[in-house]
Amino acid sequence: MYDFGLLNPVWAGTRAAELTSDAAFGQALLDVEAAWCRAQINFGTAPANIDAVVNAAADITDYDLAAIGKATPDGANALIPLLKALRGKVTAQDPDAEQYIHRGATSQDVIDTALLLVAARTGRHILTNIRTTVSHLLELAEQHANTVMIGRSLDQHAQPITFGYRVSQWVEALGSAGQHFEQALNQLPIQWGGAVGTSTWWVDYFKADQPESDPMELVKAQRELLAKELQLNAAEVWHANRMPVLQLGQTAFQIIAAAAKLANDVLTSVQAENSELAEPSKPGRGGSSAMPHKNNPVLSIRIKNGAQAASGALDALHTGVIANTAERADGGWHTEWAALRDLLRTTGAVAEILAEVSAGLQVNPTAMRRNLAIHGNYIFVGRLSQWLAPVAETYGVAESGGGKHWVQAVCNAALANNEDLAKALATHFPDGAVSVADIEKMLEPSSYTGGAASIVAAVDSRYRKWSS
């Protein structure tokens, strides 16, 4: 049985699905075993002639994954049947080489290290797409730094913003999440400590082979060669310390959460009532079998679907980590595997979708202006009240402390009677106090976006170099 993603549109057919597939994990297991043999060769604890035969047997396409999967429940992990098959292939070519495979290691060493090797490979793919996305969005933010639109608060029209400002907030979230994920990737450690994490097999070996040396120093030196082979970090044993897995999963979810914000904003803006944005299109995408007029925003829908599913995966990862006991958790460790894989797979798929959305998002400034005008000058009443209240009190047209209420009442009456707001307000003040032109300037949306353009520039300065 193979999972092609028929019920998972977020990752079906993506590169992320390939990088996190059962085959990819199986290959990572074999890569770890082969790298361990090379580390022993390089340290002088195994003969050089085993390298070729082990490498020849370390190709996952030569194994029956269905049979490996069927045998997995008997040992509660896939390495046990895969290792048996690997040993069989090596023995058939060189019986003496088999003894060096998995020597002094335990299943947790190989599985933990293989999972993080998958994470490293998938992580590079994720970061490439997140950097590309951030770069696209920075260009979009700069282009629309002064494109005025209505801001929305609690699903209601609020004060004006610029579209560039909104995009800058997407950048801030995705950029910071990407950097946190990158930091976690750069710290991914191998796991190599033997049965209970104390490297007992190798300590005994080195005590007998090199009694004048500190055996743990030799253990660490050999372990460092393994880390170098896998391009991961050498680390102290973390058998019962699940923080590396937890931190990786949590930072991956940060990317997904940031992507969900972007997707939610796009989904609001592509609604026919708003028509402010449109997703990039291509033949065959977004159509409806029953409603030909529709162009469904399937890219953002997939991101939102992925975020909701990933929330469950993160919960499962948390559940596994907090079930950690003694030197190897009975079930908690096992719970981590699929949860971490799901988070990596979903993050990778979401990153691919983001790169496509950001490259081709279509902006409709005309619709933004139209939606901005829905409430007319009512959206400026708060601004006018703040500015004119002290003026009204100074000139005695409003009681002390009552200026704000007075301005609001005058504005509401003028707007209700469909009067020219600037002229109606100006007539309530003494000559020279407030001019119609002054009020009209306050009614210009482009002057009511605060520091939006400055924020866009500041975000650009933080993430331009990182994304390039």
Side-chain angles (χ1 to χ4, degrees), residues 1-2 21-24 26-27 60-72 82:
M1 182 182 297
Y2 300 93
S21 66
D22 279 0
Q27 186 61 61
I60 197 63
T61 61
D62 294 334
Y63 293 80
D64 184 345
L65 287 181
I68 298 296
K70 187 175 181 179
T72 292
L82 181 61

Side-chain angles (χ1 to χ4, degrees), residues 54 187 263 278 298 333 402:
V54 173
Q187 296 169 3
V298 295
W333 176 51

Side-chain angles (χ1 to χ4, degrees), residues 414-437:
L415 292 169
N417 294 324
N418 202 28
E419 298 176 21
D420 183 292
L421 182 56
K423 292 180 180 178
L425 272 171
T427 59
H428 285 76
F429 287 90
D431 290 342
V434 177
S435 70
V436 172

Side-chain angles (χ1 to χ4, degrees), residues 297-376:
V298 295
L299 296 177
S300 296
I301 288 170
R302 288 171 65 201
I303 292 174
K304 188 168 185 176
N305 164 229
Q308 291 170 337
S311 179
L314 184 63
D315 283 346
L317 183 63
H318 288 160
T319 299
V321 169
I322 63 176
N324 186 23
T325 57
E327 281 61 60
R328 190 178 309 178
D330 52 349
W333 176 51
H334 307 73
T335 300
E336 294 174 12
W337 307 340
L340 181 62
R341 194 262 290 273
D342 287 349
L343 282 166
L344 291 169
R345 175 178 288 177
T346 303
T347 306
V350 164
E352 292 178 43
I353 301 167
L354 283 171
E356 184 174 3
V357 170
S358 61
L361 193 63
Q362 301 170 43
V363 183
N364 186 348
T366 301
M368 291 177 176
R369 272 284 181 173
R370 182 197 67 216
N371 295 334
L372 183 66
I374 286 175
H375 294 291

Side-chain angles (χ1 to χ4, degrees), residues 182-241:
E182 183 178 31
Q183 290 169 3
L185 281 185
N186 290 339
Q187 296 169 3
L188 291 180
I190 64 165
Q191 166 73 282
W192 216 256
V196 292
T198 58
S199 300
T200 302
W201 194 97
W202 282 102
V203 168
D204 286 348
Y205 175 92
F206 285 126
K207 280 182 177 179
D209 187 64
Q210 301 181 46
E212 73 286 354
S213 301
D214 181 345
M216 280 306 294
E217 290 301 315
L218 298 174
V219 166
K220 290 178 181 179
Q222 188 168 237
R223 186 190 300 154
E224 287 172 359
L225 292 174
L226 174 61
K228 184 177 180 180
E229 287 286 339
L230 296 172
Q231 296 184 314
L232 296 174
N233 290 292
E236 296 300 323
V237 173
W238 47 280
H239 242 66
N241 167 25

Side-chain angles (χ1 to χ4, degrees), residues 240-251:
N241 167 25
R242 310 311 296 169
M243 292 306 102
V245 171
L246 183 60
Q247 290 165 1
L248 176 64
Q250 288 173 333
T251 55

Side-chain angles (χ1 to χ4, degrees), residues 387-410:
W387 173 49
L388 292 176
V391 179
E393 293 176 19
T394 297
Y395 282 88
V397 296
E399 295 181 358
S400 178
K404 183 176 180 180
H405 178 76
W406 179 86
V407 174
Q408 289 177 348
V410 172

